């Protein structure tokens, strides 16, 4: 049975209660995790504060970086066992799980190398003053992780916090916390001091609530739904804490009539079937210029019909959804769209041989979808793609920006001027031109606008997010 990781030790919940760990491919439990309480959170925060005030806080940036680099090497050494754990916990295909572990290692490598590169500044001022600007860690950082990419999200959220010298307390999703726990063991083996990293498992409304409302945390980062993100932000605001929120998206592909249609079709399908569409940056809206709409959508539909959802071992286009509630939610979107008369242009299948209790949904392509329909506006978080025509560049921009979200977008055109114009006009945090996604994109600042949240993860900017800036003004005389 899994346990919390607090002050470098594996410990049970103070309540003695547990929660089942469910395999999404079968719907059956395969392990248990402790059901964390406010007392467990308090112990974890106290351990983090002690580490920050002790050995971890005294460690140099170079030493921190070396620990993260050792973590990277250990993760790669154990890639297969970690991938097996990730796949069983989330249901995703093995090839995707293996890639997620490689990306987690890359986060450790990137931030391990960057830990001692976050330099300050010397500001010219009056002749009898010296002014320097330094970046300092906040102290104890709280991390609420989602269930869709537990290994990657550990690297994306926790590792830059550690690189800058913060002590972290992590509450992973109760639906997927096995790899974050395994990565804690690797961190300890790599030399991370006790208390620098702590993990408390449990329910969001219990352990998560206790963490975000704890009086001794200094920073909060959350990835999840806009509804819960609002709760987290309110809790941070009560103590005037900075927070970084990544809250999903309704990301569009804009396919113009001069695009490389073969290349675009491949990326369009991959962007909605990867991780069964359970990706904040999933390309869930396919916007196509009217002059090529029928031809391109038919091309996508022909390939889409061959997509398959299967077990991790079958390694098909996508796996099951994370739990029964998510399966029912996504299937509800599909059923309502069918009932409203929306045409189904193509539907993949669930592969033969899957367990009947698994949480599978066949990938589905609808179109044309009316611009005010829920499939055009709401985040489904499943393998459901909505095709929509547009007339010209201005119409494409208006349609792409016509949601409450703004995370990423893709522009498919050979016209260099149009590439720049449309990319600049997108209300979102990332824009890809003739591509979509970047294999983890560890180096690329990532985050959204509008209902997609605020703040940036990934890249060098993440280090700055986890630091506060101090200006030191010294009078030294003439």
């Amino acid at each position: 049975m899994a346990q919390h990781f607090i002050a470098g030790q594996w410990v049970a919940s103070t309540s003695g209660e547990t929660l089942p760990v469910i395999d999404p491919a079968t719907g059956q439990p395969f392990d248990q995790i402790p059901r964390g309480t406010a007392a467990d959170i308090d112990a974890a925060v106290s351990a983090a504060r002690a580490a920050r005030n002790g050995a971890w806080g005294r460690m140099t940036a170079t030493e921190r970086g070396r620990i993260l680099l050792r973590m990277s090497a250990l993760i790669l050494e154990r890639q297969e066992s970690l991938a097996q754990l990730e796949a069983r916990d989330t249901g995703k295909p093995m090839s995707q799980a293996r890639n997620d572990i490689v990306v987690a290692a890359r986060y450790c490598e990137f931030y391990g190398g960057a830990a001692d590169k976050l330099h300050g500044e010397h500001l010219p001022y009056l002749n009898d003053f010296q002014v320097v600007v330094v970046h300092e860690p906040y102290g104890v950082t709280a991390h609420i992780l989602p269930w869709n990419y537990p290994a990657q999200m550990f690297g994306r959220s926790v590792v830059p916090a550690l690189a800058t010298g913060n002590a972290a307390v992590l509450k992973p999703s109760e639906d997927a916390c096995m790899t974050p726990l395994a990565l804690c063991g690797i961190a300890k083996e790599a030399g991370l001091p006790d208390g620098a990293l702590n993990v408390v498992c449990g329910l969001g409304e219990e352990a998560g609530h206790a963490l975000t409302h704890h009086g001794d945390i200094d920073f909060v980062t959350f990835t999840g739904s806009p509804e819960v993100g609002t709760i987290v932000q309110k809790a941070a605001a009560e103590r005037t804490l900075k927070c970084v929120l990544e809250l999903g998206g309704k990301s569009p592909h804009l396919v113009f009539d001069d695009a490389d249609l073969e290349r675009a079709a491949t990326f369009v399908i991959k962007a909605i079937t990867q991780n069964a569409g359970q990706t904040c940056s999933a390309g869930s809206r396919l916007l196509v210029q009217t002059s090529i709409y029928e031809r391109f959508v038919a091309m996508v539909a022909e390939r889409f019909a061959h997509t398959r959802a299967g077990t991790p071992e079958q390694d098909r286009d996508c796996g099951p959804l994370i739990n029964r509630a998510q399966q029912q939610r996504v299937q509800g979107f599909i059923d309502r769209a069918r009932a409203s008369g929306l045409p189904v242009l193509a539907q993949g299948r669930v592969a033969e041989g899957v367990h009947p209790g698994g949480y599978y949904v066949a990938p589905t392509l609808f179109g044309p979808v009316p611009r005010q329909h829920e499939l055009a506006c709401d985040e489904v978080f499943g393998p459901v793609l909505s095709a929509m025509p547009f007339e010209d560049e201005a119409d494409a921009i208006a349609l792409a920006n016509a949601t409450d979200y703004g995370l990423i977008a893709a522009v498919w055109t050979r016209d260099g001027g149009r590439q720049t114009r449309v990319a600049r006009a997108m209300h979102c945090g990332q824009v890809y031109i003739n591509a979509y996604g970047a294999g983890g994109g560890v180096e690329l600042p990532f985050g959204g606008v509008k209902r997609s949240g605020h703040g940036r993860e990934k890249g060098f900017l993440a280090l700055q997010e986890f630091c506060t800036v101090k200006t030191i003004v010294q009078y030294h005389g003439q």
Side-chain angles (χ1 to χ4, degrees):
M1 183 179 75
Q3 294 182 302
H4 302 314
F5 186 75
I6 300 175
Q9 304 298 317
W10 299 105
V11 297
S13 178
T14 54
S15 69
E17 295 186 53
T18 62
L19 298 168
V21 180
I22 306 297
D23 181 346
T26 65
Q28 302 299 309
F30 69 91
D31 206 333
Q32 291 180 318
I33 56 171
R35 182 172 178 171
T37 66
D40 300 316
I41 290 293
D42 191 56
V45 173
S46 295
R49 182 63 65 189
R52 176 61 208 156
N53 292 337
W56 180 240
R58 292 191 295 270
M59 191 172 286
T60 67
T62 301
E63 291 172 316
R64 293 196 302 268
R66 287 170 179 163
I67 290 173
L68 295 178
L69 291 172
R70 287 196 292 271
M71 283 181 63
S72 179
L74 290 170
I75 290 169
L76 291 176
E77 285 178 13
R78 296 163 198 180
Q79 177 189 357
E80 188 61 25
S81 62
L82 289 169
Q84 292 282 350
L85 189 60
E86 179 89 348
R88 191 170 193 190
D89 207 13
T90 64
K92 64 183 60 180
M94 279 303 304
S95 60
Q96 294 180 28
R98 292 186 182 102
N99 180 70
D100 285 359
I101 301 306
V102 171
V103 174
R106 173 61 182 146
Y107 276 112
C108 293
E109 179 184 46
F110 179 84
Y111 288 114
D116 59 359
K117 311 301 187 300
L118 186 61
H119 303 153
E121 298 177 88
H122 176 272
L123 302 183
Y125 189 50
L126 303 175
N127 289 338
D128 47 356
F129 285 84
Q130 175 174 270
V131 180
V132 295
V133 177
V134 296
H135 299 275
E136 294 183 342
Y138 278 97
V140 175
T141 55
H143 306 255
I144 310 292
L145 298 193
W147 41 257
N148 53 348
Y149 290 92
Q152 280 206 42
M153 289 302 305
F154 178 97
R156 177 170 130 187
S157 179
V158 175
V159 172
L162 295 176
T164 49
N166 294 285
V169 179
L170 165 64
K171 208 300 284 185
S173 169
E174 59 271 24
D175 286 310
C177 59
M178 301 305 285
T179 42
L181 288 171
L183 292 171
C184 286
I186 287 176
K188 183 177 177 67
E189 185 176 343
L192 193 71
D194 292 347
L197 171 61
N198 307 271
V199 178
V200 175
C201 303
L203 300 174
E205 59 268 28
E206 296 174 354
H209 181 274
L211 178 57
T212 56
H213 288 77
H214 198 281
D216 198 30
I217 59 172
D218 303 302
F219 179 99
V220 182
T221 178
F222 170 81
T223 299
S225 71
E227 294 77 16
V228 179
T230 299
I231 296 172
V232 170
Q233 184 162 239
K234 286 181 178 178
E238 288 176 357
R239 296 190 51 240
T240 324
L241 301 183
K242 181 180 177 182
C243 61
V244 169
L245 304 175
E246 198 271 274
L247 307 177
K250 192 67 180 172
S251 299
H253 294 269
L254 289 75
V255 183
F256 290 89
D257 56 11
D258 65 336
D260 181 339
L261 300 187
E262 287 287 336
R263 177 177 172 82
T266 299
F267 277 83
V268 164
I269 294 171
K270 180 75 170 178
I272 193 61
T273 57
Q274 181 178 343
N275 206 36
Q278 300 172 118
T279 304
C280 294
S281 56
S284 56
R285 290 188 295 153
L286 174 58
L287 316 183
V288 186
Q289 195 159 17
T290 304
S291 57
I292 60 166
Y293 178 84
E294 296 294 339
R295 177 162 61 100
F296 182 66
V297 170
M299 179 188 301
V300 172
E302 190 279 328
R303 302 182 187 190
F304 205 91
H306 291 88
T307 60
R308 296 292 182 268
T311 67
E313 295 74 22
Q314 290 174 332
D315 205 23
R316 308 305 291 261
D317 301 283
C318 56
L321 301 186
I322 190 66
N323 55 36
R324 180 71 66 194
Q326 179 67 6
Q327 180 195 37
Q328 292 174 345
R329 180 180 181 276
V330 173
Q331 190 62 53
F333 274 98
I334 295 172
D335 293 344
R336 289 192 300 275
R338 284 180 176 272
S340 70
L342 277 187
V344 175
L345 302 179
Q347 188 165 41
R349 296 180 184 176
V350 176
E352 296 181 358
V354 303
H355 192 285
Y359 308 134
Y360 297 95
V361 171
T364 308
L365 168 62
F366 288 96
V369 175
R371 297 189 177 195
Q372 302 305 316
H373 195 279
E374 66 174 356
L375 285 186
C377 302
D378 297 341
E379 186 178 37
V380 177
F381 224 61
V384 180
L385 179 61
S386 300
M388 308 167 69
F390 66 81
E391 293 296 330
D392 53 23
E393 186 175 311
D395 190 36
I397 292 169
L399 182 55
N401 289 333
T403 75
D404 293 335
Y405 295 97
L407 193 55
I408 78 171
V411 181
W412 297 91
T413 178
R414 291 185 173 95
D415 185 324
R418 178 186 285 157
Q419 291 170 358
T420 300
R421 289 191 303 271
V422 176
R424 295 290 296 271
M426 290 295 96
H427 297 164
C428 61
Q430 278 190 347
V431 181
Y432 289 89
I433 298 172
N434 296 328
Y436 197 93
V442 172
E443 303 86 351
L444 312 180
F446 179 77
V449 300
K450 301 190 289 186
R451 208 173 182 219
S452 290
H454 54 72
R456 291 296 178 264
E457 299 175 297
K458 302 187 180 184
F460 207 79
L461 279 181
L463 296 177
Q464 297 177 8
E465 291 280 12
F466 281 106
C467 288
T468 186
V469 174
K470 178 183 288 182
T471 303
I472 302 173
V473 183
Q474 179 191 20
Y475 172 74
H476 55 69
Q478 293 288 346

